[in-house]
Amino acid sequence: MSLTSVLFLLACIPSLCAAISNDSRGPFPNPLSRRASKSIPSEGYYDPLSNGGSMLTVLPDTFPAGLGEPINVILSAKSDAAVLVDQQMDGGLRNYYQSLGFSSECLGQHSGSDQAANLGDGNGYKNETAVIRWDYGDPAFGTCTETIQGGNHFRYWVQNGPKADSSGAIFMALSYEKPIALGHDIIENGYNLARDWLIGNATGQSIPTANLTNSSSYSGSTSAQGYTYETSVHYVSGLLQNTSEGINHYLTVGVNGTNAVDGLVAVMEVHISAKPAKSKCVGLSLRSP
Ligand SMILES: *[C@@H]1O[C@H](CO)[C@@H](O)[C@H](O)[C@H]1NC(C)=O
Ligand SMILES: *[C@@H]1O[C@H](CO)[C@@H](O)[C@H](O)[C@H]1NC(C)=O
Ligand SMILES: *[C@@H]1O[C@H](CO)[C@@H](O)[C@H](O)[C@H]1NC(C)=O
Ligand SMILES: *[C@@H]1O[C@H](CO)[C@@H](O)[C@H](O)[C@H]1NC(C)=O
Ligand SMILES: *[C@@H]1O[C@H](CO)[C@@H](O)[C@H](O)[C@H]1NC(C)=O
Ligand SMILES: *[C@@H]1O[C@H](CO)[C@@H](O)[C@H](O)[C@H]1NC(C)=O
Ligand SMILES: *[C@@H]1O[C@H](CO)[C@@H](O)[C@H](O)[C@H]1NC(C)=O
């Protein structure tokens, strides 16, 4: 290839990049995509119970017969593939969480005990992928405040084992914890409220926890780093029980004799509606012959 044609190609790349980054249908199909050989279940996830798993986590100090915490939010595998990739870049999962006001743990240090979950996908019990905390408006250091003052936080696991590979549905266990000085107990109604505050953050409205049913649904949008996410949420019953039985901290979380867990799981489906222009294209655009 002559030097002239190389320069000509370089000159063409910026417009190509711009076209890709502005395409609301998302990136061109990747022939190596993990989706090519797998199917996404119609619900967007597999019920862990149908294959020996559970929607309750296991806490190490009480394993195997102790109390667990509810997995009360599922990020559906019907979401855009880019959102299900556990990374900050390219609009991935960590960037989506940041758009909701949540970030990774304080200064990269893991605090709090590990919890294990069995999503019925053939992977058995696995510790959480990570703990994500409310960032108090500061993605860099706000989760340090959460660790000390308490607040909303969650652990999550990916359903991708060989027996029930949902193509990456993400199972999240939310709870609202008290300050560290109070031993990080959970506030009253702190599982249901934590779930609904996250859904409120994702859809920009206050969720009426006491009035939710298995036909409640909400939608709205958030953004971070130039990515805009459209989230639609519906609440489902039947995955969790409406109960206090088997639930960690049930005595203090259940309010005035009500159940600690209302039995509803919020299923979120997330699509990217806008992306930033790729910065590497800007660099190339200076290189015309
Ligand atoms: C790029 O996207 C923006 C916002 O969605 C839109 O207003 C604009 O017309 C798009 N440009 C092209 C070239 O498609
Ligand atoms: C979870 O992590 C703990 C250490 O925090 C480890 O002792 C335990 O074996 C792990 N459990 C699983 C199921 O991997
Ligand atoms: C967003 O999350 C914060 C912290 O959990 C909560 O105080 C707030 O009420 C939530 N917003 C909505 C609209 O639910
Ligand atoms: C729940 O429903 C009751 C009865 O319809 C209503 O009075 C109350 O304001 C609702 N609560 C919320 C938080 O929407
Ligand atoms: C919704 O909940 C009601 C009980 O409140 C139940 O009878 C019904 O089967 C549930 N519907 C679905 C689709 O789960
Ligand atoms: C629980 O009941 C007590 C006494 O009736 C009341 O003062 C309190 O507000 C109730 N708590 C909640 C969260 O409803
Ligand atoms: C949970 O059960 C209680 C009764 O124990 C009932 O009042 C409440 O409506 C139920 N919640 C849901 C979401 O079904």
Side-chain angles (χ1 to χ4, degrees):
M1 216 186 309
S2 74
L3 180 60
T4 319
S5 54
V6 170
L7 289 173
F8 176 72
L9 275 175
L10 283 175
C12 290
I13 288 172
S15 52
L16 184 61
C17 292
I20 294 170
S21 67
N22 206 38
D23 186 346
S24 64
R25 292 164 303 174
F28 293 143
N30 176 351
L32 301 175
S33 163
R34 65 198 167 82
R35 297 201 160 210
S37 58
K38 285 173 200 157
S39 57
I40 300 168
S42 61
E43 310 277 310
Y45 57 87
Y46 291 109
D47 181 353
L49 272 83
S50 50
N51 205 6
S54 172
M55 288 294 281
L56 293 183
T57 69
V58 169
L59 284 82
D61 20 359
T62 56
F63 189 83
L67 305 174
E69 299 196 347
I71 294 171
N72 44 14
V73 171
I74 298 174
L75 184 47
S76 164
K78 292 195 285 188
S79 302
D80 285 353
V83 181
L84 300 173
V85 179
D86 194 357
Q87 61 182 8
Q88 188 79 45
M89 60 190 294
D90 295 337
L93 185 67
R94 300 293 179 112
N95 194 60
Y96 175 62
Y97 287 155
Q98 190 179 315
S99 81
L100 308 181
F102 287 79
S103 300
S104 309
E105 287 193 279
C106 176
L107 302 173
Q109 299 300 301
H110 177 40
S111 69
S113 58
D114 289 317
Q115 294 186 22
N118 179 353
L119 301 181
D121 60 359
N123 280 343
Y125 281 94
K126 290 183 76 177
N127 279 332
E128 76 275 342
T129 305
V131 183
I132 303 289
R133 299 176 186 276
W134 176 246
D135 67 20
Y136 286 93
D138 177 1
F141 300 110
T143 59
C144 302
T145 308
E146 198 282 344
T147 299
I148 294 163
Q149 287 185 8
N152 206 355
H153 75 315
F154 61 89
R155 294 174 169 79
Y156 67 95
W157 297 259
V158 184
Q159 188 177 50
N160 59 3
K163 280 195 191 155
D165 187 344
S166 63
S167 308
I170 292 162
F171 285 63
M172 300 159 53
L174 278 94
S175 59
Y176 197 103
E177 60 185 359
K178 293 180 180 173
I180 198 166
L182 298 175
H184 277 169
D185 276 352
I186 309 297
I187 65 167
E188 274 189 358
N189 206 19
Y191 298 114
N192 300 330
L193 288 174
R195 173 197 63 201
D196 296 339
W197 285 334
L198 175 101
I199 300 305
N201 293 149
T203 63
Q205 61 204 295
S206 164
I207 307 298
T209 301
N211 290 354
L212 291 173
T213 69
N214 60 10
S215 59
S216 301
S217 63
Y218 302 90
S219 61
S221 67
T222 54
S223 56
Q225 307 297 331
Y227 289 86
T228 302
Y229 301 95
E230 308 295 331
T231 303
S232 50
V233 180
H234 67 281
Y235 283 81
V236 299
S237 56
L239 292 170
L240 280 171
Q241 302 289 305
N242 179 348
T243 189
S244 281
E245 219 156 287
I247 307 296
N248 196 31
H249 302 293
Y250 67 95
L251 285 174
T252 50
V253 173
V255 179
N256 290 341
T258 65
N259 288 330
V261 170
D262 65 10
L264 295 172
V265 173
V267 179
M268 316 174 84
E269 186 175 328
V270 183
H271 296 278
I272 296 175
S273 62
K275 302 176 187 187
K278 292 226 165 94
S279 53
K280 64 184 171 193
C281 300
V282 173
L284 276 171
S285 68
L286 299 171
R287 292 192 184 216
S288 352

